[in-house]
């Protein structure tokens, strides 16, 4: 009997100790590891981190604008707590998209003027001008976006049509690529442009011995000089309207290719006051005034603005036959295009920029321009191994020059240029030379990196079109059926890197953005379509549901 009583007492003591231990452990873990309060939790998502392993996770936590934890939904929600949660419902989340070459300010100003993009004839463009002027009655009519290659008669227009409609009002209409200007006689008169006007780096096109009304590249500056300057209020309105379009399309950083100090200062002011959330990597326009100021000032860096590069023009555009080619144009045998900045000037400028510790980003379309830029870069950089200078467009490269690209001389390209130009580019270049054009796969293989942009407003703003053109090599009509020169296509992973991490690297910002990793800024996008796995034809129709910058919702369809 005593044995059973003793045994029962032992069992009761054992259970008591076990219970006490369980309670103690529970209290220990609940007190020792409380949930950390954060600003935002994103969960139940398919998050493409774009880290080194290209990991895909379900969730992440954000505090003070930065990512502080990534993992499964269970892991993140057990470790963190927040009053603000985003249930992605299994949808795709990407790092904030970076447009590595665009014109934000020009896009905004274009919204203030006549939009001629997509007009299918000269008559349609003229009708838009008439309709615009009825409502505005402006002292100077400006528009942009016409492209004679989209018209049934693929010839440059002339001043005659504009003169008949607007004999006394100056009219200046920029071609879609910004490298040709269609003007009327009033502009020619006010700008002092005659048949004798000669400007290096461009052409005053003549017709029957007189200016036709088409100015190509450098002479355009004479027309810009007589245009009234926009007020600060108009410029600020333009920037904010352009920003709104970008945020709705998932863009969180824009590389603006060529800005004056006044606009850079305005962007900074709007960002500092909270009126502008978009981040801007500003390329300084190549002018003495700008260079003198910024080279003295040094690199400018805030949370949203970065100024450390200069935008230079080597040549013009292929569509207006302003691109500088080594051999004559196939469809205009006596014509080679023109260098806007001669080779010797490129070398002197490159040396100056290198000594200032700035990055040189040069527009180069033709093979002659590209090789001149490559030579200037190689000479200026010499033993500088981490300058990350960029060749903007790198559109037509001689086959023997591709191996000169690297992570120090980076190709910065715009995939929709290939699908826009494919209808006529071979006419300009011929069957052999086209092999070195729009060669994104070759550029990536040689450089080990490629960064992607749109060049908006030359092309559409939507980065999904960039993604589609890079991967499928088709236009929005899904032409051609099997893709345009598919040997130069990129994979979806490469394309996403080119729009995020590689673009950030080219901006010296890879430690702060471009991937969704702990310690980086919480710039990210929620999509309605799984663009990394969906059928190719669904990519251009993908919609952005939400855009976040530094963990703050800046666009949300659910609001």
């Amino acid at each position: 009997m005593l044995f059973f009583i003793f045994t029962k007492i032992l069992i009761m003591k054992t259970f008591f100790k076990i219970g006490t231990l369980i309670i103690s452990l529970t209290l220990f873990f609940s007190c020792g590891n409380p949930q950390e309060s954060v600003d935002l939790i994103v969960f139940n998502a398919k998050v493409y981190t774009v880290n080194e392993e290209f990991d895909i996770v379900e969730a992440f936590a954000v505090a003070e604008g930065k990512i502080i934890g990534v993992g499964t939904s269970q892991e993140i929600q057990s470790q963190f707590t927040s009053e603000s949660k985003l249930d992605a419902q299994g949808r795709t989340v990407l790092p904030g998209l970076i447009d590595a070459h665009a014109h934000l300010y020009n896009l905004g100003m274009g919204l203030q003027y006549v939009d001629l993009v997509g007009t299918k004839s000269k008559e349609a463009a003229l009708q838009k001008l008439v309709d615009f002027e009825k409502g505005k009655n402006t002292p100077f009519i400006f528009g942009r976006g016409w492209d004679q290659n989209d018209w049934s008669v693929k010839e440059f227009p002339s001043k005659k049509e504009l003169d008949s409609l607007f004999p006394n009002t100056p009219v200046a209409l920029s071609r879609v690529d910004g490298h040709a200007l269609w003007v009327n006689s009033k502009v020619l008169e006010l700008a002092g442009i005659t048949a004798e006007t000669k400007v290096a780096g461009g052409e005053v096109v003549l017709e029957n011995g007189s200016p036709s009304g088409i100015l190509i590249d450098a002479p355009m500056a004479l027309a810009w000089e007589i245009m009234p300057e926009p007020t600060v209020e108009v410029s600020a309105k333009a920037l904010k309207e352009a920003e709104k379009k970008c945020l709705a399309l998932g863009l969180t950083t824009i590389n603006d290719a060529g800005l004056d100090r006044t606009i850079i200062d305005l962007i900074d002011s709007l960002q500092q006051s909270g009126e502008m959330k978009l981040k801007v990597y500003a390329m300084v326009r190549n002018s003495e005034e700008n260079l003198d100021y910024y080279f003295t000032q040094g690199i400018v860096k805030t949370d949203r603005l970065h100024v450390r590069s200069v935008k230079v023009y080597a040549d013009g555009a292929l569509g207006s036959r302003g691109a500088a080619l080594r051999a004559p144009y196939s469809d205009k045998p006596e014509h080679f295009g023109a260098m806007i900045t001669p080779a010797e000037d490129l070398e002197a400028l490159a040396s100056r920029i290198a000594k200032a510790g700035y990055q040189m980003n040069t527009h180069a379309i033709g093979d002659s321009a590209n090789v001149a830029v490559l030579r200037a870069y190689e000479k200026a950089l010499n033993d500088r191994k981490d300058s990350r200078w960029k060749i903007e467009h790198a559109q037509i490269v001689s086959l023997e020059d591709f191996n000169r690209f690297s992570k120090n001389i980076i190709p910065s390209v715009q995939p929709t240029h290939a699908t826009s130009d494919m209808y006529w580019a071979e006419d300009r270049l011929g069957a052999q030379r086209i092999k070195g054009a729009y060669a994104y796969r070759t550029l990536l293989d040689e450089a080990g990196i490629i960064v992607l942009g749109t060049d908006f407003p030359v092309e559409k703003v939507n980065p999904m079109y960039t993604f589609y053109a890079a991967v499928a090599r088709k236009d929005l009509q899904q032409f051609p059926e099997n893709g345009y020169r598919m040997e130069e296509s990129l994979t979806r992973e490469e394309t996403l890197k080119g729009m995020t991490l590689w673009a950030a690297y080219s901006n010296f910002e890879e430690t702060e953005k471009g991937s969704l990793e702990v310690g980086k800024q919480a710039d990210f996008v929620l999509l309605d379509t799984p663009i990394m796995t969906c059928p190719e034809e669904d990519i251009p129709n993908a919609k952005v549901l939400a855009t976040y910058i530094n963990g703050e919702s800046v666009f949300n369809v659910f609001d």
Side-chain angles (χ1 to χ4, degrees):
M1 185 68 176
L2 287 172
F3 174 78
F4 285 112
I5 291 172
F6 182 74
T7 303
K8 188 173 182 181
I9 290 170
L10 283 176
I11 292 172
M12 289 177 66
K13 284 184 175 181
T14 301
F15 273 114
F16 177 79
K17 287 180 179 179
I18 292 172
T20 302
L21 179 62
I22 291 171
I23 291 169
S24 298
L25 287 171
T26 302
L27 288 171
F28 174 81
F29 282 111
S30 63
C31 293
N33 293 278
Q35 286 182 305
E36 183 177 348
S37 179
V38 296
D39 299 321
L40 173 68
I41 291 174
V42 179
F43 68 102
N44 192 18
K46 190 168 187 179
V47 182
Y48 290 84
T49 63
V50 196
N51 64 6
E52 190 173 348
E53 292 76 28
F54 211 82
D55 288 329
I56 299 172
V57 301
E58 293 179 336
F60 57 89
V62 178
E64 297 182 353
K66 294 185 177 180
I67 295 171
I68 64 168
V70 298
T72 67
S73 294
Q74 183 178 356
E75 288 169 344
I76 294 301
Q77 292 193 98
S78 63
Q79 187 178 353
F80 302 99
T81 183
S82 179
E83 294 181 3
S84 180
K85 293 186 176 183
L86 175 61
D87 181 355
Q89 300 179 2
R91 296 189 180 102
T92 294
V93 172
L94 306 176
L97 301 176
I98 301 171
D99 193 316
H101 182 109
H103 303 276
L104 182 73
Y105 181 60
N106 287 355
L107 172 68
M109 290 305 296
L111 296 173
Q112 317 306 309
Y113 302 125
V114 191
D115 181 10
L116 302 177
V117 174
T119 49
K120 297 302 180 185
S121 67
K122 178 170 57 180
E123 291 69 29
L126 293 169
Q127 187 59 52
K128 278 204 166 189
L129 292 176
V130 171
D131 295 341
F132 174 85
E133 184 61 5
K134 282 179 182 176
K136 297 283 188 179
N137 192 27
T138 58
F140 197 119
I141 301 173
F142 176 73
R144 67 155 304 277
W146 60 272
D147 184 352
Q148 83 283 2
N149 293 310
D150 290 341
W151 300 346
S152 55
V153 179
K154 302 182 188 302
E155 297 175 355
F156 277 139
S158 76
K159 63 186 179 185
K160 296 173 186 174
E161 300 90 352
L162 298 178
D163 289 348
S164 65
L165 295 170
F166 309 103
N168 300 311
T169 303
V171 182
L173 309 172
S174 176
R175 192 179 181 275
V176 67
D177 56 15
H179 288 271
L181 198 64
W182 176 18
V183 301
N184 65 351
S185 293
K186 194 66 178 177
V187 168
L188 295 172
E189 175 193 333
L190 293 172
I193 297 172
T194 68
E196 285 71 45
T197 301
K198 305 294 181 187
V199 183
E203 179 185 5
V204 176
V205 177
L206 302 180
E207 187 177 82
N208 299 323
S210 299
S212 70
I214 294 294
L215 310 175
I216 295 177
D217 291 317
M220 294 164 50
L222 301 174
W224 297 137
E225 287 173 4
I226 66 167
M227 281 191 67
E229 286 289 327
T231 64
V232 172
E233 290 74 21
V234 168
S235 293
K237 181 171 183 271
L239 285 166
K240 288 190 280 189
E241 287 186 6
E243 176 196 38
K244 186 176 180 181
K245 288 179 89 65
C246 292
L247 297 178
L249 292 167
L251 292 165
T252 56
T253 296
I254 302 295
N255 290 16
D256 198 314
L259 290 173
D260 286 315
R261 176 188 169 189
T262 53
I263 302 304
I264 294 173
D265 287 347
L266 178 58
I267 289 170
D268 186 34
S269 174
L270 292 171
Q271 290 172 332
Q272 296 292 346
S273 68
E275 295 178 75
M276 189 172 180
K277 305 294 185 180
L278 188 67
K279 297 176 181 179
V280 175
Y281 187 82
M283 303 182 206
V284 177
R285 186 177 70 84
N286 175 29
S287 73
E288 280 301 314
E289 182 182 357
N290 285 333
L291 299 192
D292 287 345
Y293 174 78
Y294 283 105
F295 289 175
T296 301
Q297 187 82 359
I299 293 169
V300 177
K301 183 74 168 71
T302 72
D303 189 42
R304 296 177 195 266
L305 177 67
H306 199 173
V307 188
R308 66 178 303 155
S309 65
V310 179
K311 169 66 182 301
V312 178
Y313 282 95
D315 65 345
L318 188 65
S320 55
R321 296 189 186 86
L325 301 181
R326 285 175 147 177
Y329 278 77
S330 297
D331 59 354
K332 195 175 181 182
E334 74 283 4
H335 190 66
F336 287 80
M339 293 290 288
I340 293 176
T341 308
E344 58 273 20
D345 293 345
L346 280 174
E347 291 189 3
L349 185 57
S351 176
R352 183 182 177 192
I353 292 171
K355 288 175 182 175
Y358 262 55
Q359 179 191 57
M360 187 168 174
N361 298 334
T362 308
H363 164 117
I365 301 293
D367 51 7
S368 184
N370 271 282
V371 73
V373 175
L374 285 164
R375 287 171 181 157
Y377 280 17
E378 289 166 350
K379 184 175 180 180
L381 296 178
N382 196 8
D383 58 352
R384 300 171 193 259
K385 302 302 182 187
D386 193 35
S387 297
R388 309 185 195 185
W389 286 16
K390 290 185 262 192
I391 297 187
E392 305 293 338
H393 312 306
Q395 198 162 300
I396 306 150
V397 179
S398 298
L399 298 182
E400 65 271 19
D401 290 328
F402 279 100
N403 63 4
R404 301 167 84 163
F405 287 87
S406 66
K407 286 190 175 181
N408 207 35
I409 299 179
I410 299 171
S412 172
V413 305
Q414 300 75 47
T416 51
H417 282 347
T419 54
S420 293
D421 298 356
M422 63 184 173
Y423 294 95
W424 47 264
E426 190 167 338
D427 293 339
R428 297 276 197 277
L429 301 173
Q432 183 59 31
R433 195 162 40 187
I434 195 70
K435 294 176 182 178
Y438 316 98
Y440 309 142
R441 161 58 50 198
T442 305
L443 285 166
L444 173 57
D445 288 346
E446 294 292 346
I449 188 173
I450 192 167
V451 300
L452 309 179
T454 61
D455 202 13
F456 73 68
V458 176
E459 301 280 357
K460 301 289 187 184
V461 181
N462 195 335
M464 293 301 108
Y465 300 167
T466 301
F467 197 100
Y468 181 61
V471 170
R473 303 276 292 194
K474 296 179 183 179
D475 65 14
L476 296 180
Q477 286 69 51
Q478 298 184 17
F479 179 85
E481 183 179 355
N482 297 317
Y484 173 61
R485 298 177 54 223
M486 283 300 291
E487 69 275 12
E488 294 296 347
S489 67
L490 303 177
T491 68
R492 297 192 200 204
E493 285 191 7
E494 291 164 348
T495 299
L496 184 56
K497 286 180 180 178
M499 299 169 71
T500 55
L501 187 59
W502 287 343
Y505 176 89
S506 78
N507 293 351
F508 300 87
E509 295 177 340
E510 75 278 11
T511 60
E512 61 189 70
K513 65 174 70 164
S515 61
L516 298 174
E517 301 180 76
V518 172
K520 289 196 175 183
Q521 296 164 352
D523 299 349
F524 63 94
V525 181
L526 175 67
L527 300 180
D528 72 344
T529 302
I531 64 169
M532 301 301 289
T533 56
C534 70
E536 280 184 352
E537 60 269 22
D538 293 343
I539 293 172
N541 298 318
K543 298 291 187 294
V544 171
L545 300 177
T547 304
Y548 285 75
I549 294 180
N550 290 352
E552 177 187 359
S553 174
V554 292
F555 171 79
N556 198 316
V557 297
F558 305 112
D559 289 344

